[in-house]
Amino acid sequence: MKNPKIPEATVVRLSIYSRYLTRLEQQGVPTVSSGEIAQAVGVSAAQVRKDLAYFGEFGTRGVGYGVKTLNAQILKILGLSTPWSVVVVGVGNLGSALASYRGFARRGFLIRALFDRDPAKVGRILNGLPVYGLERLPEVVRQVGASIGVICVPADQAQPVADLLVAAGIRGILNFAPQYISVPEPVLVRNVDLSVHLEVLSFGLVRRAEGERPGLAAAGNRPEE
Amino acid sequence: MKNPKIPEATVVRLSIYSRYLTRLEQQGVPTVSSGEIAQAVGVSAAQVRKDLAYFGEFGTRGVGYGVKTLNAQILKILGLSTPWSVVVVGVGNLGSALASYRGFARRGFLIRALFDRDPAKVGRILNGLPVYGLERLPEVVRQVGASIGVICVPADQAQPVADLLVAAGIRGILNFAPQYISVPEPVLVRNVDLSVHLEVLSFGLVRRAEGERPGLAAAGNRPEE
DNA sequence: GACTGTGAAGCCATTCACAGCT
DNA sequence: AGCTGTGAATGGCTTCACAGTC
């Protein structure tokens, strides 16, 4: 049981459990059951236990889980025990919004620098962060020790920017551009595609309207119980 | 084969295929093969064919698919033949950014109104759109005929706002708040959780660093071929 | 020869159901 | 009695491999 293959869905849920546990911790709740976690985040209790079981035994039978210790374990599993340095490329509407999003820092993702191709934006300060030109990206990425890059540029620039980030030593990319990007082996990419989410909703809505029973199966939108 | 259960992953990919086909269409490319689509969006050719096969036969053996007709079919399947009216609740950094995001309108999602609790924001015009107080939400939602609502408020307000949207007749919700929300039966919810994406990257990065072979399985980050 | 459509096989994730501990 | 941990069963998605068509 030491090093099984972990479903990505499990990792996503761990992240969500952790956020809930953090809130319980702040409220001073000492202990929680898989059923309570399940209800709070919209999954089944068996799912919660199975997800945790990939990594060890964290609970006490008949009692539940210690909120504080369980959260500490999950944070460690997720690699959040120490903070990550992040850079954002593309300071349009979305890039600016992400640069000032509090939720990232709260979970240990510290945005360290912003980049943009547009000379009119270079040199500005946004939310306390300087905007650099792309030519300084390699230098600055190394200087701030960034491991993760966020791409918020138009689709046609996404691949070149990804190449630039990879060349600078970035190891993970969060891509908001509506564009598939390819990266060499050890680098990880996650795509956040805003239109796609609306289109999946659209599909579900017209299916229902047409009186189709089944609709969608599982995932993103969680089952009620 | 008329009305099988469609995997959500298939719907997500259809949306991505469609975006690629739209670009080909603009370039005047008449015909495309499953292999070309596959390469462009980072999935396998068999996957492309299987996804399309859920809905019918759109190609010609030995030739491929007509770009224009295939895209029209996919748009119809996704419910994008006619535009959707959308409202955004919460005009902070993220809400404002989404309100001016061009990609939505381009795919037929027309943002019709903005809402915020903060009286200081009410009455402003953002990107040509008025910001209303929450008390006017039911009225305005009906007036503009909105079917989809986007939630960009802090976590503790997400559930009340969702309830408000549902009561106003909204049928689909895109939730950017880091919070599970529950809605009554026919209403659809999709959660876009920005921190979670970074945490999944974080997990993958520390796993690799520890020399673990397997890492993550499938999905969000697509296989190379 | 090139490419689609599809049953069958393989693989992966979730649910079930119960043994095991407190 | 209450709740965790887990093997077994189920269900679902993806890949394979090939027949069918142009």
Side-chain angles (χ1 to χ4, degrees), chain A:
Chain A
M1 177 58 57
K2 185 57 231 301
N3 189 31
K5 222 172 293 150
I6 311 298
E8 173 170 285
T10 288
V11 180
V12 168
R13 286 189 297 264
L14 284 179
S15 169
I16 293 168
Y17 304 158
S18 168
R19 205 165 49 201
Y20 173 61
L21 291 168
T22 301
R23 196 182 320 157
L24 291 185
E25 210 175 326
Q26 286 163 357
Q27 293 169 3
V29 176
T31 211
V32 69
S33 71
S34 59
E36 290 170 305
I37 297 173
Q39 175 141 50
V41 306
V43 302
S44 74
Q47 183 78 79
V48 173
R49 294 198 299 275
K50 187 62 112 185
D51 286 337
L52 296 175
Y54 284 115
F55 301 96
E57 310 193 359
F58 305 115
T60 312
R61 292 169 195 225
V63 179
Y65 304 89
V67 168
K68 212 171 155 152
T69 62
L70 179 59
N71 196 24
Q73 295 284 353
I74 296 181
L75 288 171
K76 189 176 163 195
I77 291 164
L78 291 174
L80 301 177
S81 306
T82 60
W84 293 93
S85 287
V86 177
V87 298
V88 174
V89 187
V91 191
N93 289 309
L94 187 61
S96 311
L98 295 178
S100 19
Y101 180 52
R102 295 286 184 81
F104 289 156
R106 206 178 296 146
R107 298 292 292 173
F109 298 96
L110 307 177
I111 300 180
R112 285 280 158 71
L114 312 175
F115 299 92
D116 204 289
R117 191 175 64 161
D118 181 356
K121 287 176 182 162
V122 173
R124 284 195 203 167
I125 307 283
L126 251 91
N127 205 44
L129 293 164
V131 178
Y132 298 101
L134 286 184
E135 74 285 354
R136 298 199 52 194
L137 193 145
E139 166 205 344
V140 176
V141 161
R142 281 179 184 111
Q143 188 187 307
V144 302
S147 311
I148 296 177
V150 179
I151 296 182
C152 298
V153 301
D156 60 317
Q157 292 171 55
Q159 185 64 59
V161 165
D163 296 341
L164 196 58
L165 285 168
V166 170
I170 285 290
R171 293 162 52 222
I173 292 177
L174 188 58
N175 177 34
F176 284 89
Q179 169 70 49
Y180 169 72
I181 60 181
S182 96
V183 295
E185 227 318 305
V187 179
L188 304 177
V189 177
R190 282 188 73 80
N191 298 292
V192 182
D193 206 310
L194 301 175
S195 293
V196 166
H197 284 282
L198 282 177
E199 298 188 15
V200 177
L201 277 182
S202 170
F203 174 84
L205 293 179
V206 299
R207 280 243 135 178
R208 302 229 160 164
E210 284 163 10
E212 323 275 19
R213 273 309 78 211
L216 292 176
N221 187 10
R222 300 188 198 78
E224 289 305 316
E225 165 57 89

Side-chain angles (χ1 to χ4, degrees), chain B residues 1-79:
Chain B
M1 178 58 57
K2 183 58 230 302
N3 191 27
K5 221 170 296 148
I6 312 298
E8 171 170 288
T10 289
V11 180
V12 168
R13 286 189 297 265
L14 284 179
S15 169
I16 293 168
Y17 303 159
S18 169
R19 204 165 51 202
Y20 173 62
L21 291 169
T22 301
R23 195 182 321 156
L24 291 184
E25 210 176 326
Q26 286 163 356
Q27 294 169 3
V29 177
T31 212
V32 70
S33 70
S34 59
E36 289 170 306
I37 297 173
Q39 174 140 50
V41 306
V43 302
S44 74
Q47 183 78 79
V48 173
R49 295 197 299 275
K50 187 61 110 182
D51 285 338
L52 297 174
Y54 284 114
F55 301 95
E57 310 194 359
F58 305 114
T60 312
R61 294 171 194 224
V63 179
Y65 303 90
V67 169
K68 211 169 158 154
T69 63
L70 179 59
N71 196 24
Q73 294 284 353
I74 296 181
L75 289 172
K76 189 175 163 197
I77 291 164
L78 291 174

